[in-house]
Amino acid sequence: MSDCQALQPIAVTIPGVNLGSYIQAVNSVAVLSAEEERALAERLHQDQDLDAARQLVLAHLRFVVHIAKSYAGYGLPQADLIQEGNIGLMKAVKRFDPTMGVRLVSFAVHWIKAEIHEYVIKNWRIVKVATTKAQRKLFFNLRSMKKDSGHLTMAEAEAIAADLNVSTRDVLEMEGRLLSYDAPLDGSPDDDDERAAQAPIHYLEDHRYDPAVQVEEADWESSSQARLMTAIGNLDARSQAILSRRWLAEEKATLHELADEYGVSAERIRQLEKNAMDKVRAALTA
């Protein structure tokens, strides 16, 4: 059974605009006894019975609501938290083995919280505040472990680090992230002219990649390269060959190698190279 297959039979249970009606509806679904739950799980596990999966999910939606309420402090829509938890519940139902000897709700808690955690971390701030395992642990535990809303002392940070088995540096860094806030990109409508001029929109632009500048630079580079090739083309054949071998080839020739080829001294090759370079520079600056 795929997650999509499991989702279709319970589409009517997705929390919508009227969250109160949804919660009332899921609370009206009877809780399964251990025997009923095991029988449904066996039908799903052995026969891939989607109706059994639907009944298992429906009977446990009330628990998702209960878990989602504990994440209300992050300021995210309750309906979205519940829906993410429902996805975790469906994944748990798909993986539940009735022979394990535990109730589905105990097994599903991990999957429900995992989906809600992922949603909270992705949507609580514009910039993701927790990426490593230690950061995620601190994100969901630090606020409840702090004694007050003020800044942590070093002793408190060290105590929390020891309790959670993370570094003190991680604790202090996460505290800073939790105490920070997202700045509006273009400022607030109530800002005066001076504050509005300091909004991030005015300094986040990278002018190095201005299309007009890029076109201008490309034109200049193309023109310079064309003039360089013309200047080299006006040299005599030997001078062209020496410059090409000394500066344009992937494996540059040495003065002595060219001296042997042309039957002259290395000093003579150096002089020819210098004269050719002078003529090219003069042509480019003319």
Side-chain angles (χ1 to χ4, degrees), residues 235 239 243 268-281:
L235 298 173
S239 295
L243 285 187
R268 179 56 180 159
I269 295 296
R270 189 193 66 76
Q271 291 173 355
L272 291 171
E273 178 187 16
K274 182 180 181 302
N275 291 336
M277 292 290 289
D278 289 342
K279 290 178 181 178
V280 169
R281 289 194 189 96

Side-chain angles (χ1 to χ4, degrees), residues 131-260:
T131 54
T132 67
K133 184 177 180 181
Q135 289 172 350
R136 294 167 75 93
K137 187 188 298 184
L138 284 164
F139 181 84
F140 289 105
N141 291 281
L142 183 57
R143 290 194 298 182
S144 62
M145 297 179 75
K146 291 178 65 174
K147 295 179 180 180
D148 53 51
S149 59
H151 288 281
L152 289 171
T153 65
M154 184 57 68
E156 290 172 336
E158 290 173 350
I160 292 174
D163 287 342
L164 296 179
N165 193 28
V166 298
S167 70
T168 304
R169 178 180 178 181
D170 283 336
V171 174
L172 296 174
E173 182 179 349
M174 181 53 64
E175 182 194 28
R177 294 187 182 189
L178 292 175
L179 291 176
S180 64
Y181 61 93
D182 291 330
L185 184 62
D186 53 357
S188 169
D190 300 327
D191 289 344
D192 55 30
D193 291 342
E194 183 178 351
R195 289 180 60 85
Q198 297 173 358
I201 192 68
H202 298 297
Y203 59 79
L204 289 181
E205 182 181 3
D206 190 340
H207 296 282
R208 293 176 301 169
Y209 303 104
D210 186 312
V213 174
Q214 288 184 303
V215 170
E216 182 181 351
E217 290 177 348
D219 286 346
W220 183 88
E221 183 177 352
S222 177
S223 174
S224 297
Q225 187 172 10
R227 291 173 62 199
L228 175 62
M229 292 298 102
T230 299
I232 293 176
N234 289 332
L235 298 173
D236 61 87
R238 184 171 62 174
S239 295
Q240 288 187 37
I242 291 174
L243 285 187
S244 177
R245 296 282 303 281
R246 290 281 291 157
W247 296 98
L248 303 180
E250 290 187 7
E251 294 186 8
K252 296 181 175 59
T254 67
L255 293 174
H256 291 284
E257 289 174 341
L258 292 174
D260 291 340

Side-chain angles (χ1 to χ4, degrees), residues 58-104:
L58 286 173
H60 289 81
L61 290 175
R62 63 171 69 217
F63 298 109
V64 176
V65 172
H66 176 73
I67 294 172
K69 285 181 178 179
S70 65
Y71 294 89
Y74 294 100
L76 296 170
Q78 192 70 18
D80 291 346
L81 293 170
I82 292 172
Q83 180 56 19
E84 294 300 317
N86 287 348
I87 294 173
L89 172 61
M90 286 184 281
K91 290 181 177 180
V93 167
K94 175 184 175 182
R95 293 165 174 80
F96 182 60
D97 185 350
T99 64
M100 292 190 301
V102 298
R103 295 297 299 269
L104 174 57

